[in-house]
Amino acid sequence: MTVYELHQLTKIYDERTVLDIPDLKIKENRIYSLLGPNGTGKTTLLNILGFLEPPSGGKITYRSKPVRFVESELQALRRDVILVDQFPILFTATVWKNLEFGLKVRKISKGKRTRMIQEALDLVGMRDFALAQAHKLSGGETQRVALARALALSPRVFLCDEPTSSVDVENQAIILNILKRINQTKRMTIVFTTHDRTQARTISDQTLVLDRGRLLEAGYDNIFSAVPDLNSLGETKCVIHPNISLLMDSHKIKPAKDRFRILIDPKQIHPLRKAGKEFPVNVLQGIVRQVVDENSKIRVVVDSGVRLILLMTEKTYRHSQIFVGDSITYYIPPQAIQAID
Amino acid sequence: MDLLIDSFISAFFLIFSFDAEMIFIVGVSLKVSIASTLIAGIVGVPAGFMIAFESFPGKRIVITVLNTLLALPTVVIGLFVYTFISRRGIFGPFDLLYTQKAIIIGQVILIIPVVTVFTITAINRIDERYRKTAMTLGANRIQTAWVIFREARFGIIAAIIASFGRVISEVGISMMLGGNIKGFTRTMTTAMALEYDKGAFILSIALGIVLLGISFGMNMLFHFFQGRSRA
């Protein structure tokens, strides 16, 4: 089932568009990671998904029902979805009272509350801290209590804003394990933001990439700074390296600019057995530096003067027989290259 | 110098002998100050909370006006209230002038802006994430407001203590609206002013020591709660 459907969603602050998402579907029981540089709209998107902030335009449906951002309707939705902040804040009370808050608000009986709080504290390994003053905990402990406070409420959707950014490596591993476990055992849909691509790939079923408020379909990897190729005669070409000039699809290039950024879709890059006449342009050579199995896709890192990522199915990979250290030839179709600003 | 030392020694004797007149004066001062602080708290705390918590047109103007009222001189309030409660005033028939009630009315007007502004400051100092956290945990508007109020509680208590400190030490309103009538409306500050005029320093200094002691106690409490609110 689709939990969220976003259509033509925009968020504008002071006449600046910080979010512009034509279409996005978030499905039930899956883990989504949201990648992107700072200030790119990740937190704003989480706030909107958490029904804490209205969008400036567009439509959202939650579990097939359109969402109207009016206070009287939002409270019921907020009881389904919980957002844990990047730097979560705990109320000035004991850990127990912090966990009890959401349950009391939901008018859950005392006996049931006790059981749910204990379960949640056990899940994050913080049971011994139940009576500790929350504001005296360390950063990692605070993050874990904040997770427990949210998990005690068993939300359908769990939104986490950079859950591992402010904690040490040990706590990072603990938190990621918790996310994975609750997704598997409690069937929660999880959306979390991160800057760590490896982390995103390791635990999420799908990675969404935001760049200046827009979702990049092809991911985050092959983004290059480019300049127009002045030697190209009537063709739309760009230079990303002194030896690499790429032909672009004329529909995907933006007006002449001295410098712009391009995105090369890693799924559309084809490894070739050898350079042939059928591909007279955009054929490059490089050394394979890394091969990684990534959620049933194979990710191949190639050094061609610039570091390029190829993403292929297991079948294509087996067929191409690429190994680390091999010199390979590959073709980048013009339509795989897109100017992003 | 001898006058000062002798007056101080006599004042301490007066204090520790629990002089009846002095005790009565201190009692009147505490009574009117506590009453005015409570009334101002009942009005000012909710008003300050609403102003800080809600968004409405003209909010900044309201805060600017309240800030201006912090500097209102006590004699202006005395004069203003006098025009209402004197024989010829619209509340003249209630016979409020030169009563403890009159002092309380004036002091309430004096410190409502203090309580309100300090409450606004206390609420504004609360991290916005408390509101967001309460909302995402499913709290409705009233429950969210309660979370904010709880987090600001030490700041609000500090606001009330500061207001009490302001009224216990004011003299203009007590003199103009209370009339400094012995056995009725004589407060510590008005008594001190009178004793000074008479050239009798002992009671004046004794009351000054008591007033300073109360102010010191209030300040200790104020800093204790301010410290808690920052923790």
Side-chain angles (χ1 to χ4, degrees):
Chain A
M1 185 183 184
T2 304
V3 185
Y4 290 99
E5 269 189 73
L6 277 57
H7 183 63
Q8 300 296 345
L9 185 112
T10 56
K11 182 72 188 178
I12 299 165
Y13 288 123
D14 298 328
E15 297 179 5
R16 193 170 64 90
T17 303
V18 293
L19 214 52
D20 184 2
I21 299 176
D23 277 297
L24 174 65
K25 283 183 182 172
I26 291 176
K27 291 182 179 156
E28 208 167 38
N29 305 335
R30 301 191 74 188
I31 302 183
Y32 291 82
S33 55
L34 194 53
L35 279 167
N38 284 333
T40 199
K42 300 192 297 293
T43 303
T44 306
L45 179 57
L46 284 194
N47 283 340
I48 292 171
L49 295 178
F51 310 114
L52 296 168
E53 208 176 308
S56 306
K59 284 183 190 166
I60 303 182
T61 58
Y62 175 73
R63 295 175 63 78
S64 309
K65 286 183 186 157
V67 176
R68 290 199 316 136
F69 276 80
V70 287
E71 204 54 39
S72 55
E73 291 184 21
L74 289 177
Q75 204 199 330
L77 295 173
R78 283 188 199 128
R79 293 191 175 183
D80 248 14
V81 180
I82 291 187
L83 168 66
V84 174
D85 249 320
Q86 182 180 2
F87 301 104
I89 205 152
L90 300 177
F91 304 133
T92 316
T94 60
V95 167
W96 187 276
K97 292 265 179 205
N98 265 275
L99 266 72
E100 203 174 30
F101 178 81
L103 297 167
K104 267 188 169 174
V105 157
R106 285 164 177 75
K107 296 188 169 65
I108 290 168
S109 67
K110 194 175 179 190
K112 218 171 166 186
R113 281 205 306 261
T114 305
R115 189 178 49 77
M116 291 166 97
I117 292 169
Q118 283 170 347
E119 265 179 28
L121 286 174
D122 282 341
L123 192 67
V124 299
M126 292 291 288
R127 190 154 184 179
D128 293 343
F129 292 79
L131 299 176
Q133 285 298 319
H135 62 278
K136 290 182 178 167
L137 299 177
S138 71
E141 289 162 352
T142 300
Q143 193 80 34
R144 282 154 68 185
V145 171
L147 285 180
R149 184 173 61 182
L151 297 176
L153 306 173
S154 301
R156 270 185 216 276
V157 182
F158 190 39
L159 309 168
C160 275
D161 196 2
E162 300 195 27
T164 57
S165 69
S166 57
V167 296
D168 55 34
V169 179
E170 192 189 335
N171 274 302
Q172 279 182 16
I174 292 170
I175 288 165
L176 291 178
N177 277 333
I178 293 167
L179 292 182
K180 195 79 187 166
R181 202 165 358 133
I182 56 167
N183 170 252
Q184 285 166 354
T185 57
K186 298 200 170 189
R187 317 279 301 154
M188 275 183 208
T189 306
I190 297 172
V191 183
F192 74 99
T193 63
T194 181
H195 288 287
D196 187 334
R197 299 179 202 194
T198 315
Q199 196 179 79
R201 280 194 295 269
T202 312
I203 76 156
S204 60
D205 299 304
Q206 193 177 331
T207 301
L208 306 170
V209 181
L210 267 180
D211 184 76
R212 298 179 196 197
R214 285 178 296 162
L215 277 176
L216 300 181
E217 285 172 24
Y220 197 36
D221 291 310
N222 293 335
I223 294 177
F224 300 99
S225 178
V227 290
D229 187 348
L230 301 173
N231 298 322
S232 59
L233 300 168
E235 291 175 317
T236 314
K237 280 181 139 186
C238 67
V239 178
I240 61 169
H241 181 270
N243 299 326
I244 304 175
S245 176
L246 297 170
L247 178 69
M248 297 177 70
D249 186 336
S250 55
H251 294 106
K252 291 198 175 178
I253 186 152
K254 299 214 167 156
K257 260 172 115 180
D258 289 346
R259 186 170 283 277
F260 52 94
R261 291 190 308 157
I262 60 159
L263 172 68
I264 303 174
D265 186 351
K267 292 193 288 292
Q268 293 191 48
I269 304 174
H270 310 302
L272 304 172
R273 289 188 177 276
K274 57 181 179 181
K277 281 184 181 172
E278 74 252 56
F279 299 121
V281 291
N282 289 7
V283 174
L284 304 180
Q285 279 195 323
I287 308 288
V288 176
R289 297 293 183 201
Q290 195 183 39
V291 178
V292 185
D293 183 351
E294 185 183 300
N295 294 331
S296 71
K297 287 264 170 61
I298 306 298
R299 180 183 156 85
V300 179
V301 181
V302 183
D303 184 357
S304 301
V306 291
R307 187 173 156 278
L308 255 152
I309 311 290
L310 284 68
L311 208 57
M312 55 186 84
T313 60
E314 285 175 351
K315 191 180 166 190
T316 315
Y317 175 71
R318 274 198 301 274
H319 183 66
S320 60
Q321 294 208 330
I322 293 170
F323 299 103
V324 173
D326 286 356
S327 175
I328 63 161
T329 307
Y330 56 95
Y331 168 62
I332 304 173
Q335 63 271 20
I337 307 169
Q338 185 186 354
I340 53 174
D341 57 20
Chain B
M1 196 64 188
D2 284 348
L3 175 70
L4 185 69
I5 294 165
D6 289 345
S7 301
F8 259 95
I9 292 167
S10 304
F12 274 109
F13 273 115
L14 200 66
I15 293 167
F16 291 111
S17 67
F18 297 104
D19 177 75
E21 189 188 352
M22 191 198 72
I23 298 288
F24 184 82
I25 292 169
V26 172
V28 170
S29 274
L30 288 174
K31 191 177 153 192
V32 294
S33 299
I34 289 170
S36 56
T37 306
L38 281 177
I39 296 167
I42 289 165
V43 177
V45 171
F49 187 83
M50 294 299 284
I51 292 166
F53 191 73
E54 300 288 347
S55 297
F56 56 90
K59 179 172 171 169
R60 288 179 72 164
I61 294 170
V62 171
I63 294 172
T64 307
V65 170
L66 283 167
N67 277 318
T68 310
L69 291 176
L70 288 178
L72 205 58
T74 51
V75 285
V76 172
I77 295 171
L79 203 63
F80 176 73
V81 176
Y82 180 87
T83 58
F84 282 90
I85 64 172
S86 65
R87 288 274 160 133
R88 288 179 293 166
I90 51 169
F91 298 122
F94 294 107
D95 275 337
L96 289 168
L97 191 61
Y98 303 136
T99 63
Q100 290 179 11
K101 285 177 190 159
I103 303 175
I104 292 169
I105 292 168
Q107 289 186 342
V108 166
I109 294 171
L110 176 70
I111 58 167
I112 276 182
V114 180
V115 180
T116 310
V117 168
F118 277 38
T119 303
I120 292 170
T121 310
I123 300 292
N124 284 343
R125 220 165 48 193
I126 297 301
D127 196 315
E128 178 57 28
R129 284 176 296 165
Y130 282 108
R131 186 197 291 244
K132 192 175 160 187
T133 303
M135 279 163 66
T136 197
L137 291 174
N140 60 27
R141 204 166 165 70
I142 293 166
Q143 289 160 334
T144 304
W146 178 244
V147 166
I148 306 287
F149 186 83
R150 263 184 59 86
E151 291 300 329
R153 61 193 182 275
F154 296 120
I156 292 169
I157 291 170
I160 291 168
I161 292 169
S163 305
F164 179 80
R166 178 77 180 97
V167 287
I168 193 88
S169 58
E170 71 79 28
V171 60
I173 291 168
S174 303
M175 190 68 90
M176 291 172 78
L177 301 176
N180 195 21
I181 302 166
K182 189 177 181 180
F184 291 100
T185 57
R186 184 160 294 175
T187 64
M188 285 192 279
T189 49
T190 57
M192 282 164 73
L194 178 72
E195 295 299 307
Y196 162 79
D197 281 346
K198 282 158 55 182
F201 294 110
I202 297 167
L203 180 60
S204 198
I205 289 175
L207 289 171
I209 292 167
V210 173
L211 186 57
L212 273 176
I214 292 170
S215 293
F216 182 72
M218 287 295 120
N219 267 302
M220 291 282 283
L221 267 178
F222 180 76
H223 285 289
F224 170 75
F225 284 114
Q226 272 220 325
R228 291 293 296 266
S229 73
R230 285 196 193 111

